[in-house]
Amino acid sequence: MDHRPPSPRVPRKPAARQTAESWTFLHEAARDLRTTGAVAPSSLALARTLTDPATTRGPRPLSVLEAGAGTGAVTRTLLSRLPRGSHLDIVEANPRFTERLRRLVDHHPAPAIRHVRAEVHQAYVEELDARRRYDVIVSGLPLTNFTPEQVDRIMARYLDLLHPGGTLTYFAYLGTRRARTLLAPRAEARRHAAVDQVVGAYQRRYATARWTVLANLPPAHVWELHRPSVDAAAPPHPLSLLPGAEQ
């Protein structure tokens, strides 16, 4: 869709930190894969692709929301790239992750240097009590692990939280639907297919770009959705498009 030039290379994170974050993800995935959603932190390539919209709006301060921040792989990249004077809300439901995120914010040099205000919220994004609207939302939530109804609530909440003209980025791992179709129980495969239909309805209405990031475990697509500057007539509700829904 869009062929933006690749982001410049930056130094890799220290190996010890990579290892610690990977073990944390594996531990939390074993506890609850539905909410953790991954077995490894986002790679630098994925983090930079997700956060590119925060670098393309010029030097003015931005209001940014990161949802499902995990151990902070994307958070760290955001803090390093946000324009001076920006505000970052970091939302994570897992209390073990939020402790790490608060330490990251407290010790990362970028907020002090750039006067970025960063706040960590232990909450589900659809329940976030936020009066603020955002220029950019970056989502790390494992949408394919949720029910279609949950995904619809999350996506609708994202669009509601965006300023008109604002941008949402999120990722989806390659090959998950095929794997679940082949390996998962039939009910799980149906749930995954229904989630795909809900997300697909939002993509058809709002998507402006998609990139493939191979340098990640596993590889992923990154989607960019754009809330129109002037909202058009409401599209059909995504859940009404599912098989068996009342017309």
Side-chain angles (χ1 to χ4, degrees):
M1 285 178 157
D2 186 22
H3 300 285
R4 192 183 304 164
S7 301
R9 294 177 65 85
V10 297
R12 291 180 175 273
K13 68 177 76 172
R17 188 170 72 208
Q18 281 186 313
T19 301
E21 290 185 0
S22 296
W23 278 112
T24 300
F25 259 85
L26 284 170
H27 178 72
E28 293 303 316
R31 292 170 58 95
D32 189 355
L33 184 59
R34 181 168 293 271
T35 55
T36 301
V39 295
S42 298
S43 69
L44 179 60
L46 180 57
R48 291 187 70 83
T49 305
L50 285 165
T51 59
D52 273 349
T55 69
T56 59
R57 293 172 171 257
R60 71 174 181 85
L62 297 176
S63 181
V64 179
L65 170 68
E66 183 190 3
T71 57
V74 177
T75 310
R76 193 175 292 108
T77 302
L78 269 172
L79 290 172
S80 299
R81 305 185 86 187
L82 287 178
R84 184 181 181 88
S86 295
H87 180 101
L88 174 62
D89 281 322
I90 304 159
V91 178
E92 171 57 56
N94 186 316
R96 288 163 292 278
F97 286 163
T98 55
E99 291 176 9
R100 294 177 64 99
L101 291 164
R102 290 191 175 104
R103 290 196 298 270
L104 168 60
V105 168
D106 288 342
H107 294 95
H108 197 288
I113 295 171
R114 301 186 181 193
H115 299 279
V116 172
R117 183 181 179 189
E119 298 182 65
V120 178
H121 308 267
Q122 185 181 326
Y124 294 101
V125 69
E126 61 269 42
E127 300 170 357
L128 180 65
D129 182 17
R131 297 176 179 87
R132 184 183 303 275
R133 290 296 178 266
Y134 299 94
D135 301 297
V136 175
I137 296 176
V138 178
S139 175
L141 292 178
L143 296 177
T144 56
N145 287 11
F146 299 149
T147 67
E149 293 79 11
Q150 288 172 319
V151 171
D152 181 61
R153 286 196 298 270
I154 291 167
M155 295 296 286
R157 182 62 171 152
Y158 284 156
L159 289 168
D160 181 58
L161 287 170
L162 281 173
H163 284 302
T167 299
L168 162 69
T169 58
Y170 67 93
F171 68 92
Y173 293 128
L174 273 65
T176 56
R177 181 175 181 180
R178 179 172 178 80
R180 293 190 183 188
T181 299
L182 294 173
L183 303 174
R186 188 171 300 175
E188 175 68 5
R190 284 198 300 266
R191 182 198 60 77
H192 194 287
V195 167
D196 279 352
Q197 290 191 47
V198 172
V199 175
Y202 283 97
Q203 291 167 350
R204 288 188 294 274
R205 180 70 178 181
Y206 299 107
T208 55
R210 191 194 77 177
W211 302 273
T212 301
V213 180
L214 297 177
N216 191 71
L217 182 64
H221 288 314
V222 173
W223 289 89
E224 179 180 281
L225 274 59
H226 182 81
R227 177 174 172 176
S229 297
V230 177
D231 287 335
H237 194 280
L239 292 184
S240 71
L241 303 177
L242 299 182
E246 294 183 3
Q247 301 297 318

